[in-house]
Amino acid sequence: MDDRYLRAKTIAMEALDIAPDAREAWLARRCADDAGLRAEVDWLVTAAHTGPDNPLAPGWPPAGIEPLREGARVDAAQPGQYRILRLLGEGGMGVVYLAERDDGDAHQLVALKLLASAGPHGARLAQRMSEERRILASLRHPNIAHLLDGGSTGNGQPFIALEYVEGERIDRWCQARGLPLRERVALFLKVCAAVEHAHQRLVIHRDLKPANILVTDAGEPKLLDFGIARLIEEHAPAEPTGTAQRALTLAYASPEHVAGKPLSTATDVWSLGIVLYELLTGTRPHQAVESGHLLPDAIVSGEIRPPSSAPRTGVPETDRAASAVGQAVGRIPADIDAIVLKALRHAPEQRYPSVAALSDDLRRFLESRPVSARRGHAMYRLRRFAWRHRWQVAAASVLLVLASGFLFERERQLQQVIAERGKAQALAGFMTELFANADPSRSRGEQITVREVLDRGAKDLRRRTDLPADTRADLLLAMADANQGLALESAAEPLFREALELKRRTGRPPLELARVQMKLAHAYAQQGRNADAIAIHRQAQALLSPDQPEERIERLRHRVAELRNEGLAGTRPAADMAADLERVLVQLGRPDGKDLALIRADALSALADARQQLGDFDRSLRAHQESVALRERYSADDPGELLTARINYATLMLDVDVDRGIRMLEEADRDYVKLIGENTLARAVNLNQLSVGYSRAGRHKEALGASGRAVAVARNTTSADNRLYLQLAVGHAISLRTAGRMQESEALLREVLPGLRKRSAPGVDAVNLAYALSALSRLVLDEHHDTAQALALAREAEDVLQPYAADYLVVYDGMIDPLARSLAMQGNHREAEAAAARYASLLDAHGEPPQSRWRESLAVLRKAIAQ
């Protein structure tokens, strides 16, 4: 429904620019045979033209209007129906409900605003609602809640239906996430864009305040409530805003609004200034007098202190909240003070001439350029120039210092050259000795592998005392990187740990330590030690400051990697993962360089996985598409990263279009072999996903071949206790059993079982162990009729799987079958039936319908027990 509405609005806005006599033919071409789309377009065109001459239907209101209860239905005069879900709020114009719009086979949540009562002012209120409908019909912006429907109900009651925005008011949203100053300004700029869009269409909002700006979970602000908006061309004076109105609304009103003077776009500029003031300080300029009768005078002529020295309100709770905002925002610079104070000048003509000009100054601040609000101050402009070109200025300053202290610096450099020469000689000697180890004459004629060379080099390096600690650390890192390039994570990990410890002892800066920690965490993750990786990522984030640009980037990189490891470990619900990743994406914003772009690509990929688990395939696809696009733009020099992103995208495509997903995975595998090689863990993953695709397409022989190649590649690439290898091996063993190759299946399961038991931990590892135990239990029972061994394996599987049974019914089903049958074959029918009853209770708690595959499996099991 939402897609149809957006298409209709686009067509309607274009139609309004076409002459009425040519419009009908044009609409017929654009809408073709889509009657529903044409009806939506016609309604929007009519809404944009309809005036408020007769806002109330004759005979309305009927006597005794009662509040609507949950489940009540509201019929529109034109086809369409709304089911009331709950009350959202009440105001001077009417009442707003959360409702479900039922339009044939389409359903959508809406905010349904109904004129509650005509009363003595009914005509004026109905006129205002009609005007709101007309204004909203002309607006189309991603940060404005859009109009869906409007007119009169079946009994003549005026109504409008708006996009329902599930979000949090902007001030509370910023504080809940502890956003620093620059991120608050960036979010506020989106609000400005929405207001500017309205101004371009000659609409003044007149009621801008945090309560009318909601921010969604995705970090997008939505502007609401155009109930008192006015068209600029009307030149109507504002109604006097008396103190009888709620103080919070009055607190955002401009001086001319309070005084009842004509309004212009400058009115909204003032309100935006108040909102920005509150976002940055937690208070409003005149909040200390809002509870009394002094507020109107304070708005019209009172002094406004800059945000950096915002006054206290004298209300302890409010001042505590303001203090919390101040801690998150930090120091407010003079540029922001100047921008806010210019937006809040009492005379409208002295404010920013437009919201676009206000936005431009805020962007200038974010880009460290001079802001127009401080134009004319020579020393200020010089400081801005120096900051914007700080690296060039710093270089010039260094040259000046070098020139003035040339003799001293020359001597220092000579000493440094001597030290560097000694270091280089030591490095050259070590590297010469390292590669000499591979000489057959020194290795008794044996061929030495690269791994053996690296192992010997690391052992020699630990004995060297002639190399400085930082040099040893760099050499250890180089050898660790080489091991990691060979997919020898278990060999790389201790080298990374040693290098990190040496750098700590030599007092290296946090950023350098965090980059080594990223390498170490990656080595842990590649071994499937996600808990260790998560701990390292958290240590790194604690080291880094969010206020230092480079450290902030590295901190976000660690945060995304931490969340990805949590997803791989399977220890957190997918919904929680998605929410955390969406918050990180808000912090990242739109990338302005390679580093942030690639972090965003990683975050999007992890978010796509979480959304896929939640069954939200459309949003998952969009996240994957954006991730791949970023990789294509910024990872041209790293084909492995780009191919991994393509594989992730293709894997999701299997759930949407299996044949297309298979083609994408086949293409990715060919490219992987050509560009990188045959034996990498990423290729093993790709082959396994290709096996899944073949199986779904009914190509079972190809599926078994692909899963076998995946296991072989993983075995050639990594260690026998690597999580990925173990997972792939268990999956292949079960495929072998399905294909009737029982001996091969049993042999593979027994081969990997020690590794699975060794690394069993809460989450995915435990489930994988239970899966293998269940599969082996069934094989032992069916092939060898060994009930004692089968029962022992199944009971171990049940113990391991206990915390995760509801989330992994396929594993539980595979476990309970050999468990119950073994008991029955031993004559213990009571315990066998108890096992089946546990399964039935689990299915009941899970809400499985009577015809589900799991219910059918349980019925077959009970029949086997009875026999």
Side-chain angles (χ1 to χ4, degrees):
M1 178 181 286
D2 194 53
D3 289 344
R4 188 181 72 184
Y5 171 80
L6 293 175
R7 285 176 58 208
K9 188 144 195 178
T10 299
I11 295 171
M13 293 302 100
E14 294 174 5
L16 291 172
D17 295 328
I18 295 175
D21 56 348
R23 188 179 296 157
E24 176 61 31
W26 185 86
L27 286 172
R29 290 195 303 273
R30 284 299 305 272
C31 298
D33 297 326
D34 192 334
L37 177 65
R38 177 60 190 270
E40 196 86 34
V41 171
D42 287 343
W43 179 84
L44 284 164
V45 171
T46 301
H49 282 302
T50 300
D53 296 333
N54 298 297
L56 284 177
W60 194 87
I65 298 175
E66 295 292 336
L68 297 177
R69 296 184 178 87
E70 180 180 335
R73 293 191 176 273
V74 175
D75 292 310
Q78 58 183 12
Q81 192 178 64
Y82 297 89
R83 184 170 65 89
I84 301 300
L85 300 179
R86 70 172 188 270
L87 178 69
L88 290 177
E90 297 182 66
M93 186 187 301
V95 60
V96 183
Y97 297 95
L98 174 63
E100 183 180 56
R101 181 186 184 191
D102 184 355
D103 187 7
D105 59 350
H107 299 271
Q108 183 177 23
L109 291 179
V110 302
L112 185 67
K113 182 186 288 190
L114 292 161
L115 188 63
S117 172
H121 305 292
R124 183 172 60 84
L125 293 176
Q127 180 176 341
R128 181 178 288 175
M129 182 175 282
S130 177
E131 186 62 28
E132 182 178 5
R133 185 188 74 178
R134 183 158 68 102
I135 286 171
L136 283 169
S138 68
L139 301 179
R140 183 184 59 193
H141 192 275
N143 298 115
I144 296 177
H146 52 256
L147 177 71
L148 295 171
D149 194 3
S152 299
T153 65
N155 68 356
Q157 185 176 14
F159 82 95
I160 57 174
L162 302 167
E163 171 192 9
Y164 172 59
V165 179
E166 190 168 2
E168 191 173 5
R169 48 184 284 169
I170 188 169
D171 53 342
R172 295 172 186 166
W173 194 90
C174 290
Q175 188 54 19
R177 289 152 184 81
L179 291 194
L181 182 144
R182 298 178 70 85
E183 292 182 24
R184 292 181 190 233
V185 171
L187 181 67
F188 180 76
L189 279 169
K190 294 185 178 182
V191 179
C192 291
V195 178
E196 184 183 348
H197 173 83
H199 287 183
Q200 289 170 349
R201 283 144 187 82
L202 305 179
V203 175
I204 315 169
H205 189 283
R206 303 201 310 164
D207 196 20
L208 295 168
K209 56 187 178 183
N212 283 341
I213 305 166
L214 298 186
V215 185
T216 67
D217 287 342
E220 287 297 319
K222 290 278 190 176
L223 186 56
L224 313 175
D225 201 351
F226 281 77
I228 64 168
R230 282 288 179 86
L231 295 177
I232 297 169
E233 67 222 23
E234 292 175 352
H235 300 293
E239 298 98 346
T241 308
T243 56
Q245 288 183 286
R246 290 191 306 125
L248 187 61
T249 297
L250 182 58
Y252 301 91
S254 65
E256 61 272 22
H257 199 167
V258 171
K261 296 179 180 179
L263 306 183
S264 67
T265 55
T267 300
D268 283 347
V269 171
W270 170 281
S271 299
L272 285 170
I274 299 287
V275 171
L276 181 56
Y277 195 109
E278 187 170 6
L279 288 181
L280 300 180
T281 68
T283 63
R284 293 177 288 279
H286 306 299
Q287 194 157 350
V289 297
E290 284 180 11
S291 59
H293 63 283
L294 302 175
L295 182 55
D297 288 340
I299 291 172
V300 173
S301 58
E303 178 190 2
I304 296 179
R305 291 173 59 178
S308 60
S309 59
R312 289 184 171 274
T313 66
V315 179
E317 185 178 348
T318 303
D319 288 338
R320 280 196 299 272
S323 178
V325 172
Q327 289 177 4
V329 170
R331 186 184 66 84
I332 297 178
D335 281 3
I336 289 294
D337 278 346
I339 291 171
V340 173
L341 291 178
K342 182 170 181 176
L344 296 178
R345 289 178 182 170
H346 290 93
E349 64 275 8
Q350 293 180 6
R351 295 175 208 149
Y352 285 100
S354 66
V355 176
L358 169 61
S359 300
D360 183 62
D361 243 8
L362 288 169
R363 279 189 287 268
R364 284 175 169 273
F365 162 74
L366 293 177
E367 296 164 3
S368 300
R369 294 188 292 145
V371 300
S372 66
R374 298 181 68 189
R375 183 171 292 148
H377 299 279
M379 286 304 298
Y380 157 73
R381 297 180 67 81
L382 180 60
R383 287 197 303 273
R384 288 289 85 194
F385 176 85
W387 175 251
R388 195 167 69 255
H389 301 284
R390 52 193 177 278
W391 303 119
Q392 296 93 319
V393 171
S397 300
V398 169
L399 289 175
L400 183 61
V401 171
L402 287 174
S404 62
F406 175 74
L407 291 177
F408 172 80
E409 185 60 25
R410 181 174 178 274
E411 181 64 24
R412 190 191 66 78
Q413 288 182 352
L414 283 173
Q415 294 298 323
Q416 185 176 352
V417 167
I418 293 170
E420 289 294 328
R421 183 174 62 191
K423 180 179 176 180
Q425 288 173 344
L427 284 170
F430 176 79
M431 296 304 294
T432 300
E433 183 67 19
L434 174 65
F435 288 103
N437 285 332
D439 187 341
S441 65
R442 296 184 60 177
S443 58
R444 301 178 182 178
E446 298 176 1
Q447 292 295 320
I448 305 298
T449 65
V450 174
R451 178 173 184 175
E452 289 170 329
V453 170
L454 293 169
D455 287 345
R456 291 182 183 184
K459 191 179 296 183
D460 291 345
L461 185 59
R462 294 184 181 104
R463 293 196 296 262
R464 294 287 292 267
T465 58
D466 57 324
L467 293 175
D470 60 334
T471 303
R472 291 206 311 271
D474 288 339
L475 283 167
L476 284 167
L477 282 176
M479 287 186 287
D481 286 336
N483 273 298
Q484 203 165 51
L486 295 169
L488 301 171
E489 308 296 342
S490 57
E493 174 223 314
L495 300 179
F496 281 132
R497 281 194 283 106
E498 290 178 56
L500 179 60
E501 183 56 34
L502 283 171
K503 286 186 175 289
R504 278 185 180 136
R505 276 190 279 171
T506 53
R508 304 307 299 164
L511 187 61
E512 189 173 337
L513 295 178
R515 285 171 177 163
V516 180
Q517 287 172 310
M518 179 63 76
K519 292 173 179 285
L520 175 58
H522 181 70
Y524 281 139
Q526 288 296 98
Q527 296 175 77
R529 296 167 58 183
N530 300 102
D532 292 327
I534 290 167
I536 293 294
H537 288 308
R538 289 174 179 170
Q539 290 171 19
Q541 290 172 74
L543 282 176
L544 299 166
S545 168
D547 298 325
Q548 298 296 323
E550 283 189 289
E551 291 189 24
R552 175 179 175 272
I553 291 173
E554 193 65 23
R555 199 166 186 263
L556 287 168
R557 196 192 317 275
H558 274 281
R559 176 60 175 151
V560 171
E562 175 196 350
L563 290 170
R564 182 169 278 285
N565 273 282
E566 287 188 332
L568 291 170
T571 53
R572 290 189 62 202
D576 291 352
M577 291 288 300
D580 282 350
L581 286 160
E582 283 166 349
R583 280 192 282 271
V584 170
L585 286 166
V586 171
Q587 294 174 38
L588 284 167
R590 287 295 160 188
D592 55 0
K594 181 176 180 179
D595 285 342
L596 284 174
L598 295 183
I599 297 171
R600 184 175 181 84
D602 286 341
L604 285 163
S605 179
L607 178 60
D609 291 342
R611 285 175 174 167
Q612 184 178 3
Q613 290 181 48
L614 295 168
D616 190 350
F617 296 119
D618 288 343
R619 296 175 71 194
S620 181
L621 277 173
R622 289 198 294 271
H624 270 311
Q625 287 167 345
E626 186 181 345
S627 178
V628 171
L630 288 170
R631 289 285 179 198
E632 287 175 341
R633 181 176 177 184
Y634 293 100
S635 289
D637 57 345
D638 191 348
E641 291 292 334
L642 178 55
L643 283 166
T644 299
R646 284 173 53 193
I647 290 168
N648 292 337
Y649 182 25
T651 299
L652 172 62
M653 188 56 67
L654 292 177
D655 291 325
V656 179
D657 183 340
V658 67
D659 291 330
R660 184 182 173 195
I662 289 172
R663 289 195 298 273
M664 292 169 68
L665 288 167
E666 288 173 335
E667 182 182 352
D669 186 58
R670 288 193 295 270
D671 290 346
Y672 224 105
V673 173
K674 181 170 62 177
L675 295 173
I676 297 174
E678 293 189 359
N679 292 319
T680 71
L681 284 176
R683 183 176 181 239
V685 172
N686 188 37
L687 286 167
N688 185 65
Q689 296 305 324
L690 191 53
S691 171
V692 172
Y694 286 144
S695 180
R696 291 182 184 177
R699 298 158 63 176
H700 300 297
K701 185 176 181 180
E702 291 170 282
L704 190 61
S707 68
R709 291 198 302 277
V711 172
V713 169
R715 185 187 289 118
N716 293 336
T717 303
T718 188
S719 59
D721 62 349
N722 180 274
R723 170 194 284 160
L724 180 61
Y725 165 67
L726 294 170
Q727 286 179 330
L728 295 178
V730 172
H732 183 55
I734 291 170
S735 297
L736 287 168
R737 186 191 69 189
T738 304
R741 294 160 62 174
M742 304 301 182
Q743 290 183 342
E744 294 172 74
S745 176
E746 182 179 346
L748 185 53
L749 286 169
R750 292 192 183 278
E751 176 189 328
V752 299
L753 203 54
L756 288 164
R757 285 189 172 119
K758 176 182 175 183
R759 65 166 302 109
S760 180
V764 173
D765 290 322
V767 175
N768 204 32
L769 172 59
Y771 201 23
L773 288 166
S774 302
L776 185 56
S777 174
R778 179 172 286 191
L779 274 170
V780 168
L781 184 63
D782 292 341
E783 295 300 308
H784 306 302
H785 310 292
D786 186 343
T787 58
Q789 185 183 175
L791 185 57
L793 290 166
R795 279 179 166 157
E796 182 183 355
E798 186 174 29
D799 290 341
V800 170
L801 188 62
Q802 188 79 25
Y804 318 103
D807 296 322
Y808 294 93
L809 287 179
V810 65
V811 182
Y812 194 90
D813 182 83
M815 173 275 300
I816 208 71
D817 177 87
L819 175 65
R821 286 195 295 123
S822 295
L823 288 166
M825 291 169 71
Q826 291 179 351
N828 194 343
H829 291 280
R830 179 178 295 178
E831 195 172 344
E833 183 54 43
R838 290 198 298 276
Y839 190 17
S841 297
L842 178 64
L843 296 179
D844 291 342
H846 200 262
E848 287 297 316
Q851 289 76 32
S852 77
R853 57 179 289 200
W854 311 120
R855 297 282 187 188
E856 293 173 0
S857 178
L858 176 60
V860 171
L861 176 60
R862 280 184 160 152
K863 186 175 180 181
I865 294 172
Q867 292 174 348

